[in-house]
């Protein structure tokens, strides 16, 4: 049954009582549902592009030896960190390697 969450928890949104609010708002996937690696890479790539609006150029998300690897170029370390956090929001327990280059002017 849906219930109204407190304003501090969900900012006035409706949600199922047994749902984890973090997974709903952070876009985490359900660990019980296996996601194919190609789909996972595509989800991560789309999420980074959506959140960072072209601030990472030549963005590639691939799987290497069981780890998800981010590659590309950006202008600041903050952007690199934002890309990593966007990817972590999709991953469950998969290892992540951030190889995004920061180009210093």
């Amino acid at each position: 049954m849906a219930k109204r969450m407190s304003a501090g928890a969900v900012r006035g949104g409706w949600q199922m009582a047994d749902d984890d609010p973090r997974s709903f708002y952070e876009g985490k996937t359900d660990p019980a549902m296996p996601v194919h690696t190609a789909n996972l890479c595509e989800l991560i790539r789309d999420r980074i592009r959506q959140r960072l609006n072209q601030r990472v150029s030549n963005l590639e998300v691939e799987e290497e030896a069981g780890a998800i690897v981010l590659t590309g170029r950006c202008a600041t370390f903050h952007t690199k960190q934002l890309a990593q956090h966007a990817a972590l929001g999709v991953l469950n327990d998969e290892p992540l390697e951030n190889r995004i280059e920061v180009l210093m002017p």
Side-chain angles (χ1 to χ4, degrees), residues 7-57:
V10 182
R11 296 183 188 215
W14 287 91
Q15 187 172 347
M16 298 300 288
D18 58 346
D19 284 351
D20 179 6
R22 291 171 302 190
S23 65
F24 181 78
Y25 286 95
E26 293 176 8
K28 292 198 181 274
T29 56
D30 182 2
M33 294 178 60
V35 178
H36 188 269
T37 304
N39 292 341
L40 183 61
C41 291
E42 187 177 325
L43 285 171
I44 293 169
R45 186 180 310 108
D46 291 346
R47 184 179 174 105
I48 292 171
R49 286 181 178 158
Q50 175 188 13
R51 292 203 172 182
L52 298 180
N53 195 25
Q54 303 296 325
R55 287 190 275 172
V56 179
S57 62

Side-chain angles (χ1 to χ4, degrees), residues 38-99:
N39 292 341
L40 183 61
C41 291
E42 187 177 325
L43 285 171
I44 293 169
R45 186 180 310 108
D46 291 346
R47 184 179 174 105
I48 292 171
R49 286 181 178 158
Q50 175 188 13
R51 292 203 172 182
L52 298 180
N53 195 25
Q54 303 296 325
R55 287 190 275 172
V56 179
S57 62
N58 302 323
L59 176 65
E60 294 291 332
V61 181
E62 300 170 332
E63 188 270 333
E64 286 182 17
I68 302 298
V69 179
L70 304 178
T71 57
R73 295 181 176 157
C74 64
T76 67
F77 285 102
H78 184 247
T79 300
K80 178 177 178 170
Q81 185 178 22
L82 289 174
Q84 180 172 324
H85 281 276
L88 288 171
V90 176
L91 297 173
N92 291 312
D93 293 323
E94 298 86 357
L96 176 68
E97 186 174 341
N98 189 346
R99 295 184 193 164

